[in-house]
Every structure is written in C-alpha cells, then in structure tokens.
Amino acid sequence: MDITPQEESMIKALRSAELPPLFALIQVRNAILHDTVNVDERRRDDVMKSLDTYIGPLWDDARQARKTTQA
C-alpha cells in the first residue's frame, strides 16, 4: 500500500503529539471512513480493513488492562 504525502504528514503529526497508538489509529480510521471527498471508495475499504487488523488486538489489550486495574 502506497502512502500519500498527506497520509505521511498525518502519521508524523500523530507521532510528534505522542498520542496513545490505539487513540491515534481510531482517529485516523474515523477520519478516513468519513472522508468521501478525498479518499477513493476502493482505497478507503482497503485502508479500513488494514486498520481494523491493527486496532482489534490493541483494543482487546486496552479492555483487558482496564479490567485488570478495576479488579
């Protein structure tokens, strides 16, 4: 998958803001999902599938960590 200059800038900005990876991935996913003007539908579907494979395990880990700290 090729990364556009705009995507690369967004990735660099998220890294420099030191946001938690799960938060950053969810924000990127939602931004791409709702960008019907700049992102081609076929590309959007590919990106959604890719991001979902990364978000799923992180989300499970975050939920598990939350349960552990609440117990």
Side-chain angles (χ1 to χ4, degrees):
M1 177 171 75
D2 295 330
I3 295 176
T4 66
Q6 182 181 13
E7 292 166 337
E8 185 176 352
S9 296
M10 186 186 323
I11 291 167
K12 287 179 182 178
L14 290 169
R15 283 184 182 159
S16 68
E18 297 180 9
L19 295 170
L22 180 58
F23 175 81
L25 284 173
I26 290 172
Q27 294 296 65
V28 169
R29 181 192 182 282
N30 289 341
I32 293 170
L33 179 66
H34 298 294
D35 189 349
T36 57
V37 175
N38 298 311
V39 182
D40 179 54
E41 186 176 350
R42 283 177 284 149
R43 179 153 169 84
R44 186 172 44 246
D45 291 342
D46 290 342
V47 171
M48 290 298 102
K49 288 176 187 173
S50 295
L51 286 173
D52 286 343
T53 62
Y54 295 114
I55 291 171
L58 288 172
W59 187 249
D60 291 339
D61 290 347
R63 256 190 264 145
Q64 197 67 356
R66 192 175 302 133
K67 285 181 184 178
T68 303
T69 58
Q70 290 177 351

